[in-house]
Amino acid sequence: MAATTALSSQNEGPLYCKDLKAEVEMQHGPAPRVKVHSVEWKKVMAGEPVEINPSVGNGFRVMTVEEWAARWKCNEDFPECLACGSKNTKEHYFSQTWCRGKKHWESECLCLDCFEFSHRAYMDPDYMTPEQYTRKQWTEGLRKASYL
């Protein structure tokens, strides 16, 4: 799993969830919102065998939710379940992207008490992917060139 804490050079704490310029989008539900682990989640809940983590073995095995999520860690920045408020959560997905000082991140945690997934996402209002930024630069350049 990806680390959820990006530290600054002065060890000020995590940067991805500081200095937010918009609201953090928060949702919860009985199934993962992101596609990572969604197939396995359905199998675990149905009592079907799932693939064993290659770092511990090989093959398939029927697992409990706790056993399946044992290698995941809690997101220390957002430990609370959005459904029941428990702090017995494990993060199964984290992604962050920084582009020209603007940030976009997503985190999804599984609550081991109520088996609900808590999804949080944030994007700076003026965040653009490199492709969007390049497209904007080209469009503005063509507009200026057509006026010359």
Side-chain angles (χ1 to χ4, degrees):
M1 285 289 111
T4 60
T5 308
L7 296 179
S8 71
S9 58
Q10 295 86 18
N11 286 332
E12 298 170 347
L15 293 176
Y16 81 92
C17 62
K18 301 281 189 210
D19 192 30
L20 303 179
K21 296 171 180 66
E23 293 293 316
V24 175
E25 173 193 325
M26 294 185 270
Q27 296 179 345
H28 67 86
R33 185 166 172 214
V34 295
K35 293 186 182 202
V36 173
H37 301 131
S38 61
V39 172
E40 291 89 348
W41 174 248
K42 290 175 189 169
K43 289 180 179 180
V44 167
M45 294 309 288
E48 297 174 9
V50 292
E51 189 172 5
I52 296 169
N53 187 313
S55 63
V56 242
N58 58 14
F60 290 81
R61 187 171 75 208
V62 174
M63 295 186 201
T64 65
V65 173
E66 291 80 5
E67 185 180 18
W68 179 63
R71 298 184 63 81
W72 303 343
K73 294 183 175 42
C74 180
N75 180 334
E76 295 172 4
D77 302 315
F78 298 106
E80 302 86 14
C81 172
L82 295 173
C84 71
S86 168
K87 292 190 179 194
N88 188 17
T89 60
K90 299 279 186 120
E91 183 176 61
H92 81 101
Y93 176 81
F94 182 81
S95 172
Q96 69 176 333
T97 306
W98 293 74
C99 192
R100 288 172 303 285
K102 308 300 178 192
K103 58 191 163 203
H104 173 249
W105 56 263
E106 280 185 274
S107 170
E108 189 164 72
C109 299
L110 168 64
C111 178
L112 297 176
D113 291 336
C114 69
F115 297 151
E116 289 272 321
F117 286 86
S118 298
H119 181 267
R120 294 172 175 89
Y122 173 81
M123 185 182 324
D124 278 332
D126 49 353
Y127 173 84
M128 285 187 278
T129 64
E131 294 82 9
Q132 292 168 326
Y133 183 76
T134 302
R135 186 178 309 121
K136 180 182 172 192
Q137 296 294 73
W138 273 97
T139 306
E140 288 175 359
L142 290 173
R143 223 179 269 134
K144 288 178 185 176
S146 67
Y147 290 120
L148 296 177

